[in-house]
Amino acid sequence: MNERTPHTVVLVHGAWADGSCWSNIIRPLQRMGLKIIAAPLPLTSLIDDTDALQRAIERTSGSVTLVGHAYAGAVIGSTLSAQVTSLAFIAALAPAEGETVADVFYRALPHPQAPHLQPDAHGLIWMPEEGFRSAVAHEASTDQLAIMSAVQRPIAVQCIQEQVQHSRWRKTPSWYLVAEKDRMVNPETQRFMAQRMNANMRTQKVDHSPMYTAPDSVVDLIIEAVGTNSAK
């Protein structure tokens, strides 16, 4: 691939986050000659979020690797774009056709330190400050946790209740980082999803948000997913 059309990595955030969650990942990938976009999701419904991802992909030219964290696994798995050549799931939820995010999230019993979440009067689910410390990123620094809580964006309950219509991972090469110390998405559930999609599975003793706490592991997985598509 020539320098005018570098391979693009589109980073897709999950619930209670925005594109800044990839701040430790973006520059290392850029230094390798990759074009990077952090796709903004409205977190209003799975359909809305998939449409938002498609608009981000349309800003690119050439081949694309999609990277999704947590809830965003359902989003990257739902895309129909022909530009996408590989998928990378970071402790992510990957429902199959006819399943919802809630179906796979609640497949196993929650961790004892996982927060109990309920939608507010507007149908939005917020993460309590303690939830970041106990489960979302329990190995992050105190400063990082404070920032995550302050900038969080809620996820609409509709996002986790809509059935997936398409599972891109059935036909697209996929990589999966299993977070062995995850307290939000059960590691056994992660292994089940990775094995079901026949992904290239990598396991690390990291928490639910390795973009903050173990960025090198995330970068390594993305580079592996990009493979020979990267710019030379």
Side-chain angles (χ1 to χ4, degrees), residues 67-107:
V67 183
H69 174 242
Y71 160 72
V75 182
I76 68 172
S78 296
T79 182
L80 297 172
S81 172
Q83 291 178 243
V84 177
T85 58
S86 57
L87 305 170
F89 297 82
I90 311 300
L93 294 157
E97 297 93 337
E99 293 179 339
T100 68
V101 170
D103 287 336
V104 287
F105 182 78
Y106 293 110
R107 186 175 183 272

Side-chain angles (χ1 to χ4, degrees), residues 6 37 44 47 84 86-87 89 94 102 107 124 145 147 158 168 199 202 210 212 222 227 232:
I37 291 178
T44 49
I47 292 174
V84 177
S86 57
L87 305 170
F89 297 82
R107 186 175 183 272
L124 301 175
L145 289 167
I147 293 170
Q158 191 171 348
R168 180 62 182 258
R202 306 292 179 258
Y212 297 111
I222 294 171
K232 302 299 184 182

Side-chain angles (χ1 to χ4, degrees), residues 7 17 20 33-34 37-38 49 58 60 63 65 91 124 138 143 154-156 164 179 190 193 202 210 222:
H7 187 79
S20 66
L34 296 164
I37 291 178
D49 293 337
E58 288 172 3
T60 74
S63 57
T65 292
L124 301 175
H138 67 272
D143 286 350
I155 184 170
V164 166
Q190 294 181 41
M193 291 182 291
R202 306 292 179 258
I222 294 171

